[in-house]
Amino acid sequence: PDTSDEAAGTGGRRCTHRTIGHSIWCAARHISGSGGCALNRVEFRSAPLIGTILLATVLWFVTFYLTWATFWIKISFSAATLAILSLWLQPNRKEHLKFNMNAFILGFLSASVLYLIFWIGKMVSTVLLPFAGSQIGGIYDKGVGTPIWGIALLLFFITGPAEEFYWRGYLQKNLMVRYVQWQGWLLATAIYAGVHIWSFNFMLIGAAGVAGAFWGAMYWRYKNLAPVIISHSIWSTVIFAVFPM
């Protein structure tokens, strides 16, 4: 089958599909202006991906379940480890990392929207769920003993960017190559929420699912990790260090 750039409709970017059906689907997606197979220029490799998921599960276990060491140091180290590993496994990220004015505006606005979503969520959940208040408080208790300025610096410069490099820039990106894009987004969101199970905190697992779905949808829509990094960094810094709930 013809899998040339023209046949795939990628505007000079080669599509990795190798079947007639996929080529037709890809061309239709690009003609519709949806971004189509931009992510499919990365070949899917299952073994490294599964390995990083297992590592993330272990790191989140150490971070959330084991009580030794400072929580914010542990989460920053865990996120940075996954980010460095993902950059090593998949170093070519330039086409999906564009910091410009639009990225900064979108990042700021989306962080504001997500903060509002969480504020409404807290109001509703504390009315409907008797345990919500104590579990939300339990999330903030993990930071006891760490200076607020230290939490803010770690979240803004390390944890926020590092999490996005791995969870959206590597995991979701590859899952969207392997599966239909909405399935890749959904699976990445489920894994991101799932590793938080070690907290044994229903509200935290739910919060991770909501935030993961939100940032994952941003990355899926804009194919640019920059506004997602900005959004995550601003939101996490504000909600944990500036204006806690």
Side-chain angles (χ1 to χ4, degrees):
D2 186 358
T3 56
S4 64
D5 296 339
E6 292 77 11
T10 59
R13 299 173 301 189
R14 182 167 296 280
C15 173
T16 59
H17 289 144
R18 291 294 181 267
T19 66
I20 294 175
H22 274 120
S23 294
I24 293 173
W25 177 87
C26 178
R29 293 281 289 171
H30 281 285
I31 291 172
S32 67
S34 64
C37 295
L39 293 178
N40 290 342
R41 284 174 287 168
V42 180
E43 291 186 5
F44 177 80
R45 294 186 296 162
S46 60
L49 188 69
I50 294 172
T52 63
I53 294 172
L54 294 176
L55 176 60
T57 303
V58 172
L59 288 172
W60 257 242
F61 169 79
V62 172
T63 298
F64 285 92
Y65 186 75
L66 301 184
T67 56
W68 56 270
T70 304
F71 171 78
W72 293 110
I73 296 294
K74 289 193 293 182
I75 191 66
S76 297
F77 172 81
S78 298
T81 299
L82 291 172
I84 292 169
L85 183 58
S86 68
L87 289 169
W88 176 70
L89 290 170
Q90 191 173 292
N92 298 319
R93 301 282 185 91
K94 291 183 180 179
E95 72 274 24
H96 295 290
L97 189 63
K98 300 175 182 177
F99 285 95
N100 50 41
M101 186 56 66
N102 288 338
F104 282 100
I105 293 173
L106 180 59
F108 176 79
L109 292 178
S110 61
S112 302
V113 170
L114 187 59
Y115 185 90
L116 178 61
I117 291 172
F118 270 70
W119 183 83
I120 295 172
K122 180 187 177 183
M123 296 300 103
V124 174
S125 63
T126 51
V127 172
L128 299 179
L129 304 174
F131 57 83
S134 61
Q135 288 201 355
I136 293 172
I139 298 172
Y140 287 99
D141 287 345
K142 291 184 178 296
V144 172
T146 306
I148 290 295
W149 62 266
I151 295 174
L153 290 175
L154 287 171
L155 287 170
F156 191 84
F157 291 106
I158 299 178
T159 310
E163 284 205 13
E164 290 310 316
F165 271 115
Y166 174 71
W167 292 108
R168 259 59 67 176
Y170 178 75
L171 180 68
Q172 179 175 319
K173 182 179 186 178
N174 280 276
L175 290 175
M176 289 174 66
V177 170
R178 174 61 179 83
Y179 303 100
V180 177
Q181 291 196 9
W182 71 267
Q183 292 177 342
W185 163 75
L186 189 62
L187 184 55
T189 299
I191 295 171
Y192 180 64
V195 296
H196 288 80
I197 196 172
W198 298 117
S199 67
F200 294 98
N201 185 317
F202 176 81
M203 297 304 296
L204 178 58
I205 297 168
V210 171
F214 184 88
W215 291 317
M218 280 183 64
Y219 182 57
W220 179 12
R221 169 64 179 84
Y222 297 103
K223 305 296 188 292
N224 184 8
L225 199 60
V228 190
I229 289 174
I230 295 168
S231 178
H232 192 151
S233 297
I234 292 175
W235 176 85
S236 59
T237 302
V238 171
I239 206 167
F240 285 111
V242 181
F243 297 117
M245 291 191 177

